[in-house]
Amino acid sequence: MTARTDATALDELSKYIRSVLPDVARDLLSEVLVAVPDYRELSADAKDDLPHAVEANLRLFLRSLVDGRPPQQEELTELIDVAVRRARAGIPLDTVLSVYHFGAAAAWKSVAATATSPQQREQLLAAVPSVLGYLGAVTPGVAGAYLRERQDLHWEQREAKRTVAQALLHGSPTDLLAERFGISLDGGFEVLVFRVAESDPAAGARPVLRIVQAEIDAVSDRVLSTVERGGGVVLVPSAAGEFAGALDTFVSKVAHAAGVRTVAGLAVAEGIDDIPAAAAEAGEIARLAYQLRRPTAVYRMADVALQYQLARPGPARSWLLTLLHPLHDQQHLLDALRALIDNDYNRQQAAAALVVHRNTLNYRLNRVGTLTGYDPNRADHAQLFAAALTAYDLDTAE
């Protein structure tokens, strides 16, 4: 203090603040409820707890003021309990911390307004560093307790969703489990199965699992998911198209953040009993898109219907694979055939893609016809070659 620094002066200041504490606490609480909307929306039980929390805070400050030191960790127990309750109530951390600073200013203003002598006002001004020291000790402790509680709550809810998702994918009973954690299973689901390509070690490792989980959380808190290193399954409520486009955005964001190609298959389950079949369909679509090196996107059955059918074992697929057997050791002929199909049978563009003369391309395509007995120049034979190449790509990727 500037005028009186002895224990008597501190004791007098402490007694003075303690004498006006009930009025200060009431005024502070009124200002907080006016200024902070989140606190006005607390439950009735939580609001009933506020006066006690305010007075506990003020009393702890008085104790630290008299002792001439910031509060110790063990003295913060009551305030930490309050922070935990605010975390469970869903009050944002920045709001919780701002209330401490707002409350300190409001309390100091209220105390100063009742000071009746120059000596009291002088003592209050001299105690300002103690206020700042108090806030510097309290806010980290409160923030740490809040974050630990939110992390525990988030982890518990995330694990519950993962467990429910796994049960749904296996067709296991989920009613009791979902009810226990307040998870709604009404209506249908969009079932997304995604695959994340391996990253290039030279590019540096990225926290893919953390990236994926963060993007899943961004879609909606109603999403259920099970995530592994190379991909996972996301179950999104499909009612009223609420999440239209969200899954496409999810996949593109994962690919961008992870720096790797990410493809997904999507199918719709009309109800929870349909989820295992929808997941199998979406998983097969994702596998096809991944093996055929399709670019990052969400693929539906309409996008890969032909490839889906060609992936099914059977005599037709076996015959298509034999069609290309004579070309297996003739990579330049396979490349010529693929270039023709990829360029919509435009020979000029196909030759340019191969960086060869058009006559060279014609020669190679004629060799394909000679070796296989089927002419790529004929429309019906060209369709067979296109199907055969798809079957070949799927076979060599397995």
Side-chain angles (χ1 to χ4, degrees):
M1 293 183 171
T2 57
R4 301 174 65 190
T5 58
D6 56 12
T8 302
L10 282 175
D11 187 55
E12 289 178 0
L13 177 61
S14 174
K15 287 180 179 178
Y16 166 64
I17 295 177
R18 189 173 288 110
S19 69
V20 296
L21 189 144
D23 292 334
V24 170
R26 185 184 62 251
D27 293 344
L28 188 158
L29 182 56
S30 297
E31 290 199 35
V32 166
L33 291 176
V34 169
V36 185
D38 285 332
Y39 275 59
R40 291 201 302 272
E41 296 172 5
L42 285 170
S43 66
D45 289 342
K47 284 183 179 178
D48 289 342
D49 177 54
L50 287 176
H52 176 75
V54 170
E55 290 200 24
N57 197 8
L58 292 173
R59 287 196 177 92
L60 180 58
F61 168 70
L62 284 177
R63 190 183 315 143
S64 69
L65 179 65
V66 171
D67 293 345
R69 59 165 178 80
Q72 302 299 308
Q73 182 64 35
E74 60 271 15
E75 296 175 301
L76 299 177
T77 302
E78 193 166 2
L79 298 188
I80 285 174
D81 288 343
V82 172
V84 168
R85 292 197 290 274
R86 298 297 173 265
R88 288 189 172 273
I91 303 296
L93 176 59
D94 57 346
T95 300
V96 172
L97 296 182
S98 70
V99 165
Y100 278 89
H101 292 270
F102 177 85
W108 211 245
K109 182 176 67 174
S110 179
V111 171
T114 62
T116 58
S117 68
Q119 184 182 45
Q120 287 177 332
R121 287 192 287 271
E122 183 178 302
Q123 290 172 338
L124 286 171
L125 286 173
V128 167
S130 298
V131 177
L132 297 178
Y134 176 80
L135 291 174
V138 168
T139 52
V142 168
Y146 179 101
L147 291 173
R148 286 190 295 273
E149 181 65 17
R150 289 302 299 172
Q151 187 176 36
D152 289 345
L153 289 171
H154 191 56
W155 181 87
E156 181 181 358
Q157 186 68 8
R158 182 180 289 172
E159 283 300 295
K161 291 178 180 178
R162 184 183 64 82
T163 302
V164 171
Q166 287 180 330
L168 290 171
L169 292 169
H170 288 93
S172 304
T174 56
D175 291 347
L176 293 178
L177 193 62
E179 182 179 354
R180 175 186 171 190
F181 291 103
I183 298 172
S184 174
L185 299 179
D186 296 335
F189 283 85
E190 291 187 342
V191 182
L192 183 92
V193 178
F194 67 95
R195 300 184 65 157
V196 180
E198 290 289 335
S199 59
D200 182 359
R206 299 194 188 187
V208 175
L209 285 177
R210 193 162 55 201
I211 289 169
V212 167
Q213 191 60 62
E215 295 301 336
I216 288 175
D217 292 343
V219 174
S220 169
D221 59 4
R222 295 172 57 197
V223 168
L224 307 177
S225 65
T226 173
V227 178
E228 298 175 352
R229 180 179 177 82
V233 183
V234 181
L235 307 177
V236 180
S238 56
E242 181 181 353
F243 302 102
L247 293 178
D248 297 86
T249 301
F250 159 72
V251 170
S252 63
K253 283 187 174 181
V254 168
H256 177 74
V260 294
R261 182 172 64 99
T262 303
V263 298
L266 182 66
V268 176
E270 297 298 332
I272 60 173
D273 293 339
D274 303 316
I275 287 178
E281 179 182 317
E284 181 65 4
I285 293 171
R287 183 184 74 84
L288 291 173
Y290 188 84
Q291 291 182 339
L292 292 172
R293 298 178 179 82
R294 291 289 184 89
T296 291
V298 176
Y299 294 90
R300 282 79 171 169
M301 180 60 80
D303 300 316
V304 293
L306 175 61
Q307 292 83 354
Y308 189 96
Q309 193 59 39
L310 289 173
R312 310 272 74 75
R317 183 172 186 263
S318 299
W319 183 87
L320 288 170
L321 290 173
T322 63
L323 176 61
L324 298 180
H325 278 174
L327 308 181
H328 282 186
D329 59 349
Q330 305 280 338
Q331 187 61 45
H332 64 296
L333 299 184
L334 280 171
D335 290 343
L337 190 58
R338 194 183 299 277
L340 181 69
I341 295 168
D342 289 347
N343 287 278
D344 200 23
Y345 304 97
N346 184 310
R347 296 196 174 214
Q348 192 66 39
Q349 292 179 8
L354 292 171
V355 196
V356 299
H357 194 275
R358 180 170 175 172
N359 289 341
T360 302
L361 175 66
N362 290 336
Y363 171 77
R364 293 178 182 179
L365 292 174
N366 289 335
R367 284 290 296 159
V368 169
T370 300
L371 291 173
T372 64
Y374 287 82
D375 184 1
N377 299 306
R378 287 178 49 175
D380 54 341
H381 288 186
Q383 290 176 355
L384 289 175
F385 279 119
L389 280 172
T390 297
Y392 173 80
D393 289 340
L394 291 170
D395 188 62
T396 54
E398 291 175 353

